[in-house]
Amino acid sequence: MTIIVTAEFTPKEGAYDQVVAALSPAIAEVHEEPGCLLYAIHESPTGQIMMIEKWESADLLDAHGAGDAVKRLNASLDGLLAKPVDVTRLVPIPAGTPHQGAL
């Protein structure tokens, strides 16, 4: 079953562009990992950066979380965030057609 992840990054005052620059290289790199179906960042109206991810399985997501790309990403964000990243895992609830009911 696919897993959707949201990760909310809150930049320190004046560090928004630096956070985007730190996150951006991971996009292409993580898309090469087994099980990654989506790994994208979006600007929130409140000034946070939302990462939205889709993974083929929880096991492949866990492997990603323990991998080198995440270690590099975390190191590049050191000192740039106002608070810890808020990560949420979501599991689809089937509704409508399979296309309609899940990301």
Side-chain angles (χ1 to χ4, degrees):
M1 178 174 291
T2 60
I3 303 292
I4 302 298
V5 175
T6 61
E8 181 181 79
F9 298 83
T10 304
K12 285 185 175 179
E13 183 76 29
Y16 182 89
D17 290 339
Q18 290 173 283
V19 173
V20 170
L23 294 171
S24 294
I27 301 303
E29 180 180 11
V30 172
H31 273 98
E32 297 297 320
E33 292 183 17
C36 179
L37 301 172
L38 175 68
Y39 200 75
I41 53 176
H42 294 76
E43 181 177 355
S44 168
T46 57
Q48 283 107 350
I49 300 162
M50 294 297 297
M51 181 173 285
I52 301 170
E53 308 174 33
K54 183 175 182 179
W55 292 87
E56 289 179 4
S57 71
D59 289 341
L60 291 169
L61 171 58
D62 291 342
H64 158 72
D68 290 339
V70 170
K71 291 175 187 168
R72 282 190 293 279
L73 180 59
N74 288 337
S76 70
L77 291 167
D78 189 41
L80 298 177
L81 300 177
K83 65 179 190 173
V85 180
D86 184 13
V87 178
T88 304
R89 287 186 182 207
L90 306 167
V91 177
I93 299 171
T97 67
H99 177 71
Q100 294 168 336
L103 291 178

